[in-house]
Amino acid sequence: MTESMIEIHLDSRQSFYNVSMTAMAARVSTSFVNECERENLIQAKVVEGRKGYDHSMVRRLIRIRHFHEDLGFDLQAIDFILCLHTRLIDLQNRLDEMEAQMREREIELLDKIRTLKERLAQDSKWQNR
């Protein structure tokens, strides 16, 4: 079964997975899941007295596995990469907000310029009478 097939299957059944289901979906061992949790790379939740992971944590664990197995990064480096990625997303969001504010301000200023031009045109007509 491919990685995406497991994700779709798990996602369609429920949104909370125990450690063994999480490990199976991410194609890692349960000890790797526990190690990632100890390193604060993933966070478990407790629902109705049961510890488990939501779908976003399963996807995050798949990404961690890729960094670890395929790219050879240790967990400390992965933590740095994920923190940096989060920081970059935050900065991009702030930049997007600032651009939106600048566009709004530009519209306001263009409207004021238009109003001032109209006033100047009216004043010049009045003075030419």
Side-chain angles (χ1 to χ4, degrees), residues 9 37-38 60 84 103 117-118 122 125 127:
H9 177 67
E37 187 177 358
R38 277 192 307 277
R60 185 174 172 95
L84 184 60
R103 280 191 298 274
K117 282 181 178 179
E118 289 172 358
Q122 287 176 353
K125 286 179 188 176
Q127 287 177 353

Side-chain angles (χ1 to χ4, degrees), residues 49-77:
R50 294 181 9 240
K51 175 182 167 183
Y53 304 88
D54 63 16
H55 191 71
S56 68
M57 284 298 116
V58 174
R59 286 192 335 263
R60 185 174 172 95
L61 190 57
I62 290 169
R63 176 181 276 166
I64 291 167
R65 177 185 49 81
H66 169 69
F67 286 140
H68 184 67
E69 291 179 3
D70 300 337
L71 301 177
F73 292 114
D74 63 18
L75 294 182
Q76 188 175 15

